[in-house]
Amino acid sequence: MSGVRSVAAQIWQVASIPLLAIVLAFIVAAVVIVVSSVFTPTGFEPLLPFAAYASLLAGAFASDTGIYNTLVAAAPLILGGLAVGLGFKAGLFNIGVAGQFLVGAFGAAVVGANLADAPAVVGVPLAMVAGALAGAAFGFIPGFLKARTGAHEVVTTIMLNNAAVLLLTWAVNDLVRAPGFSFPRTGPIGNSALPILLGRNLHLGIPLAVLFVFAVRWLLDRTTIGFEIRTVGQNPNAARYAGMRPIFITALTMTLSGLLAGVAGAIQMLGVIGFYAPGITASVGFDSIAVALLGRSNPIGILFAAILFGAFRAGPPLMQIETSVPIEVIDIIQALVILFLAADLIVRRVFRIRAPKAEITELKTITQSWAGTASGGPPS
Amino acid sequence: MSDQPPVLEMRGITKRFPTGTLANDAIDLDVRRGEIHALLGENGAGKSTLMNILYGLVPPDTGQVLIDGQPVTIRDPADAIARGIGMVHQHFMLVPVLSVAENVVLGNEIVRAGQLLDIDEAAKQIKLFAGKLGFDIDPFGRIDQLSVGQQQRVEILKAIYRNARILVLDEPTAVLTPQETREIFEVFRRLRSEGASVIFISHKLDEVLEIADRITVIRRGRVVGSRKPKETNENELAELMVGRAVNLRVDRGRSHPGEIALEVAGLRAKDDRGHEALRGLDLVVRAGEIVGIAGVAGNGQDEIVESLMGLRRPTAGTIRLAGKDLTRATVDERRDRGMSFVPADRQRFGLVLTYPIDDNLALTRYADPPFAGGFAGLVRNFREIAANAVRLIKEFDIRASGPKALAATLSGGNQQKVIVAREFGQEVRLLVLDQPTRGLDVGSIEFIHKQVIARRDHGAAVLLVSAELDEVLELSDRVLVVFRGGIVGSFAAEEAQREKIGLLMATGAARA
């Protein structure tokens, strides 16, 4: 029995801050809901938050459709969260998931459209691989630049996000525009669409994303490559001394991170969107950073964080219909969660947490990666 | 002096940490006015905890603090400062981009006309204080441009500026060169003659005997003795500290040099700033001998070690191991050929502090069988990693709660033992040791020295780089003196004279 308890204690040690940040976000947002209720026709409603949160939960989890919607929204966030989390493990902050996601989606769309009439067993895997490779290639660029020149990945990936949008707009307009449509877009993907497994929309991408959770976990915890990635992230000097090559690991990690983001784009393309057109939003890219932070870069944590964020997509419509609380409240909750994660001192004070392990170390990568001590710069 | 009333008394101080460690067990300490009082003890004996209690950083479980005979409660450092207690931590608390004067007045600014900072007035006072303590400092110099020794003086000025009468220094000499150590001792003497009391924490026997008026020895949280330097000696102090007789002088035995193991010829390398640090350095280490490199820090020692480790690319020259050219080999290839390294900075290079001991004990062979295998040799074998850890923890007497304890939780001595166990616990051709015992207590030093000699007798070639001339002289079968990136002298152990070597180290020539 003590084994069970110590495992629970360990989980609590790493998960306490994220969990309590969520709780605190809901509490503060409840105050916002109550205060704003004063200005509605129904007037002051102290119990409104309970009703709103109940419908939010119901919308996300109480029906099959709700659960499917939650999971479909969660799938790209799982992969995007893994992409950002893997970077954190190596001490890298990949803000480029947005761009890598779009490039992956585009790659899958183009190959999928070309194989629209081929059997699904051919079209689906090839389109998926195309998305993955496109994302990987787009992740390799900042990785290579950092390894070769020391260019900071935060700067290069932000620029590459813009480059991706513009490049793909040009490509859709001038290279792969499908005939017969009134606006620039790629052709229909036909048989290359991911098979629907349950309901109207639960596609193959969801189990695939979960598979990647365990693959990344295995990579990080069980393989020498994962050990190298973690060591470079924890102490690049010791990594060099131990015979590892931080430069190579940096480039490799960014490539793998891009690959995961590319797969995220591919499943969203082949499972939900169906064609590439300029203006496709890549909000997944930035939500992925939030998911990775909330999941503390742990693949299992990221899985749960992504499902929560999926529920934030699937649940709100019912909440708005049943309680008239606007969908935008969810943005407030999401923002508060991240705020409390970043200002974890607030959470510690409110809930009186002491565990040193509860510290969100990923924030150091974000805030300190500018000091020039980050891994992978060229040797002096 | 003994008739002076104590300016500070600590009575029955007990502190047990939540982890169960009894750090202080009914400790009594008294310090008199105008006294330099040394707190001597091994790493983890409880010295720092006691001083942190005094400075209000850690609350005691029981016990009382009296200042000038009056019981006082010290809740936080602000209380301590108000009572005239100043503390200089091992890691300085300075703002690197601010000037000396700005750092000194920080939180205690002199203001003029309401809100304007009067930095010139502060600078004047700082000059005055520094003069009294016998050194010169530019109040407008930026902290990040000062040497470690100078930064330490700024910390002392900070305390004096806040009217400290009792100055606590946590291992002040650990970060200093021998020259800087002499200078800081002079500052201590000036403080004493100004009537201040100095408490300094140390585990270096020669230092406390040289400078202290009184020495209190702490072992495992208890005071085990208090001595005056005149009434004691290194052997007695070491025994008090460790709790058993310690062999301060290692019995090196005879060496039996064999084939040439390491041959460095015409090595040139640049330092981080691009200046030539090694200028055609030659050296040879044979199997079964210990070659020590003596020299004032900054004469190319770091570059020699880094070139050998494969972390710095030489601009010219060759490095051969058993005849094989390894000048451009990767770190991995060097290790595969039988090189092992104990780096100078164990926390920056030698360990990953956030990893458990078992990962650290496999850190440099993580990708080699038996630690990895399976699918393309990429899968880590945790059973072998754990078995290796259990074996080495026992063999090298690493004190830890188990193989899964994080390296960060170990004392400095045990952290170094982890590195030594990893680097010594296999067949090696060449051991490169850079400051292998820096910051360690006598018990750990004795242990590591014995291990080095055991590897030598086992046929390994050993290259020892140390800033402690005593260590080089004691351990080496041959002593080389490095000066400005070249070897300027070579002595067999029996003819190595301290004075001669000291002169060579300082001037690069046998005659000044």
Side-chain angles (χ1 to χ4, degrees):
Chain A
M1 280 320 280
S2 69
V4 175
R5 271 187 63 177
S6 81
V7 168
Q10 274 178 12
I11 291 174
W12 177 246
Q13 235 183 2
V14 291
S16 52
I17 299 271
L19 288 174
L20 295 173
I22 294 166
V23 170
L24 205 55
F26 272 96
I27 294 171
V28 174
V31 175
V32 174
I33 293 172
V34 170
V35 169
S36 60
S37 75
V38 174
F39 306 102
T40 59
T42 47
F44 178 63
E45 277 183 277
L47 296 179
L48 186 57
F50 294 100
Y53 292 162
S55 350
L56 178 68
L57 270 178
F61 296 111
S63 64
D64 288 353
T65 321
I67 293 173
Y68 299 157
N69 286 343
T70 298
L71 293 178
V72 168
L77 292 172
I78 294 172
L79 288 156
L82 290 174
V84 178
L86 189 71
F88 280 145
K89 288 286 183 188
L92 297 166
F93 185 23
N94 180 11
I95 307 190
V97 169
Q100 293 144 15
F101 174 90
L102 285 181
V103 172
F106 177 80
V110 171
V111 173
N114 276 305
L115 296 173
D117 301 324
V121 281
V122 178
V124 170
L126 286 180
M128 285 298 303
V129 169
L133 291 182
F138 215 62
F140 171 75
I141 298 170
F144 176 79
L145 288 175
K146 174 146 196 180
R148 212 50 201 267
T149 68
H152 202 287
E153 77 278 3
V154 168
V155 177
T156 52
T157 52
I158 288 176
M159 293 198 296
L160 282 168
N161 282 344
N162 289 316
V165 171
L166 297 171
L167 189 76
L168 297 178
T169 302
W170 166 74
V172 173
N173 272 306
D174 292 357
L175 292 183
V176 295
R177 178 169 181 167
F181 292 99
S182 61
F183 62 98
R185 55 161 278 184
T186 56
I189 53 174
N191 293 340
S192 298
L194 288 174
I196 301 296
L197 305 177
L198 286 170
R200 284 188 305 108
N201 60 351
L202 191 106
H203 56 79
L204 184 66
I206 286 93
L208 201 64
V210 176
L211 204 65
F212 268 99
V213 168
F214 290 96
V216 171
R217 193 164 104 113
W218 181 79
L219 177 83
L220 281 171
D221 290 351
R222 299 255 148 196
T223 69
T224 55
I225 293 175
F227 187 64
E228 287 171 344
I229 290 173
R230 288 187 291 126
T231 307
V232 167
Q234 294 288 329
N235 186 344
N237 288 313
R240 286 183 69 205
Y241 158 84
M244 301 172 187
R245 287 173 295 163
I247 287 178
F248 171 75
I249 296 297
T250 297
L252 176 72
T253 306
M254 284 304 288
T255 307
L256 289 177
S257 181
L259 183 138
L260 290 165
V263 174
I267 64 162
Q268 194 67 356
M269 175 55 59
L270 303 175
V272 178
I273 311 173
F275 61 90
Y276 192 95
I280 284 181
T281 58
S283 67
V284 167
F286 292 98
D287 287 346
S288 296
I289 297 170
V291 166
L293 278 177
L294 190 57
R296 303 205 52 190
S297 302
N298 178 307
I300 304 293
I302 286 168
L303 175 64
F304 285 112
I307 290 172
L308 177 75
F309 272 60
F312 284 162
R313 300 282 165 284
L318 189 68
M319 176 183 78
Q320 185 160 17
I321 292 164
E322 290 190 350
T323 65
S324 299
V325 170
I327 287 180
E328 283 74 16
V329 163
I330 297 305
D331 291 337
I332 296 178
I333 295 178
Q334 248 175 255
L336 285 170
V337 169
I338 300 307
L339 180 77
F340 290 133
L341 276 179
D344 62 335
L345 204 62
I346 299 174
V347 178
R348 284 161 192 273
R349 281 278 163 80
V350 171
F351 296 101
R352 307 194 192 287
I353 295 203
R354 287 224 186 84
K357 266 197 183 171
E359 194 182 10
I360 313 283
T361 45
E362 291 77 14
L363 291 166
K364 282 193 191 147
T365 303
I366 296 178
T367 54
Q368 293 182 356
S369 56
W370 298 93
T373 51
S375 62
S380 47
Chain B
M1 196 175 295
S2 52
D3 48 347
Q4 288 267 12
V7 61
L8 167 74
E9 287 169 86
M10 297 181 84
R11 285 190 195 152
I13 302 285
T14 297
K15 175 74 193 177
R16 187 185 291 275
F17 283 111
T19 51
T21 319
L22 190 59
N24 285 174
D25 185 2
I27 287 189
D28 292 319
L29 178 76
D30 65 279
V31 178
R32 302 197 181 93
R33 189 177 135 82
E35 179 182 57
I36 299 177
H37 195 118
L39 275 186
L40 183 69
E42 289 195 288
N43 291 316
K47 300 163 292 184
S48 295
T49 304
L50 185 68
M51 288 302 107
N52 285 338
I53 288 171
L54 176 62
Y55 198 56
L57 291 167
V58 174
D61 295 340
T62 56
Q64 207 177 20
V65 178
L66 293 87
I67 290 180
D68 297 326
Q70 300 297 313
V72 294
T73 317
I74 299 171
R75 275 183 218 90
D76 53 34
D79 273 353
I81 291 166
R83 309 274 181 203
I85 300 168
M87 183 145 177
V88 177
H89 296 270
Q90 214 171 346
H91 302 282
F92 303 145
M93 315 273 174
L94 297 169
V95 184
V97 296
L98 294 185
S99 71
V100 169
E102 285 165 333
N103 267 283
V104 170
V105 301
L106 198 65
N108 235 346
E109 297 88 348
I110 305 175
V111 288
R112 167 180 70 184
Q115 285 304 313
L116 291 171
L117 179 61
D118 193 348
I119 203 73
D120 291 323
E121 181 56 33
K124 233 185 271 171
Q125 289 191 20
I126 288 164
K127 274 276 198 201
L128 192 76
F129 285 135
K132 274 190 186 170
L133 296 180
F135 59 85
D136 193 38
I137 198 155
D138 173 14
F140 299 107
R142 258 174 60 152
I143 294 296
D144 52 9
Q145 286 161 358
L146 301 183
S147 71
V148 172
Q150 288 171 315
Q151 291 186 19
Q152 190 173 57
R153 279 174 226 162
V154 176
E155 283 281 12
I156 294 174
L157 282 173
K158 245 168 80 180
I160 300 301
Y161 187 81
R162 285 160 181 70
N163 299 316
R165 297 175 296 137
I166 303 165
L167 190 63
V168 181
L169 297 101
D170 192 354
E171 308 225 1
T173 60
V175 290
L176 301 183
T177 64
Q179 173 62 25
E180 286 174 324
T181 301
R182 274 194 295 282
E183 289 167 9
I184 200 71
F185 283 175
E186 191 47 41
V187 173
F188 287 1
R189 290 191 188 101
R190 296 273 190 137
L191 281 165
R192 176 172 60 190
S193 62
E194 295 283 328
S197 308
V198 175
I199 305 175
F200 87 100
I201 299 178
S202 180
H203 54 239
K204 291 189 186 166
L205 302 169
D206 51 339
E207 275 178 4
V208 300
L209 284 171
E210 181 190 337
I211 183 75
D213 297 315
R214 217 143 46 93
I215 303 161
T216 296
V217 186
I218 296 179
R219 184 174 78 232
R220 294 201 184 146
R222 310 190 70 128
V223 173
V224 290
S226 190
R227 298 283 187 277
K228 290 189 173 162
K230 285 193 193 101
E231 302 162 354
T232 185
N233 56 50
E234 292 200 0
N235 284 320
E236 192 201 10
L237 288 176
E239 195 171 334
L240 277 173
M241 238 168 101
V242 182
R244 61 177 167 83
V246 176
N247 202 350
L248 290 173
R249 299 272 165 265
V250 281
D251 182 16
R252 200 150 38 78
R254 282 186 59 86
S255 68
H256 304 280
E259 302 272 288
I260 290 179
L262 174 70
E263 189 177 8
V264 174
L267 195 68
R268 289 177 176 274
K270 294 198 162 109
D271 65 16
D272 289 338
R273 285 166 302 175
H275 300 302
E276 183 130 90
L278 297 182
R279 307 162 191 228
L281 181 127
D282 304 310
L283 67 86
V284 165
V285 186
R286 293 175 175 276
E289 73 166 346
I290 301 171
V291 173
I293 295 186
V296 176
N299 273 287
Q301 292 97 322
D302 292 349
E303 288 76 14
I304 296 174
V305 171
E306 286 168 16
S307 302
L308 288 174
M309 285 169 57
L311 297 182
R312 184 177 295 275
R313 180 153 287 190
T315 50
T318 56
I319 296 167
R320 289 168 174 280
L321 185 69
K324 169 123 177 116
D325 190 340
L326 293 179
T327 315
R328 303 206 165 263
T330 63
V331 179
D332 235 18
E333 287 161 355
R334 287 165 207 248
R335 289 187 179 281
D336 288 346
R337 302 288 306 174
M339 288 171 96
S340 254
F341 311 99
V342 173
D345 191 334
R346 55 179 160 266
Q347 303 202 340
R348 229 159 72 83
F349 284 92
L351 296 170
V352 180
L353 292 175
T354 47
Y355 281 174
I357 297 176
D358 59 358
D359 274 342
N360 273 298
L361 283 170
L363 187 65
T364 53
R365 288 182 292 150
Y366 69 98
D368 302 333
F371 298 132
F375 178 65
L378 288 179
V379 184
R380 306 185 71 213
N381 186 333
F382 292 107
R383 195 183 304 160
E384 290 291 342
I385 291 168
N388 174 64
V390 169
R391 179 175 67 82
L392 290 176
I393 286 172
K394 189 152 175 265
E395 204 173 305
F396 286 80
D397 189 29
I398 297 163
R399 308 274 170 82
S401 57
K404 281 289 165 202
L406 298 186
T409 63
L410 302 184
S411 70
N414 280 303
Q415 287 181 349
Q416 190 73 354
K417 279 186 188 172
V418 170
I419 297 173
V420 167
R422 181 182 68 213
E423 301 299 312
F424 289 30
Q426 54 184 315
E427 286 305 308
V428 288
R429 225 185 227 129
L430 173 71
L431 265 177
V432 179
L433 311 175
D434 194 0
Q435 323 293 345
T437 60
R438 174 146 73 192
L440 301 190
D441 52 65
V442 284
S444 304
I445 292 173
E446 181 194 26
F447 179 85
I448 287 170
H449 283 178
K450 277 186 181 160
Q451 292 292 332
V452 172
I453 290 163
R455 294 317 301 182
R456 177 202 72 178
D457 292 343
H458 213 251
V462 180
L463 185 69
L464 167 72
V465 179
S466 176
E468 309 267 349
L469 183 53
D470 288 328
E471 180 169 52
V472 173
L473 290 176
E474 250 177 71
L475 215 50
S476 309
D477 300 313
R478 214 144 49 78
V479 177
L480 304 178
V481 181
V482 66
F483 183 77
R484 293 193 186 152
I487 301 294
V488 293
S490 169
F491 303 87
E494 42 288 358
E495 61 197 37
Q497 291 166 351
R498 242 192 117 78
E499 292 68 32
K500 219 167 162 186
I501 290 174
L503 195 61
L504 267 176
M505 280 167 60
T507 64
R511 268 170 233 284

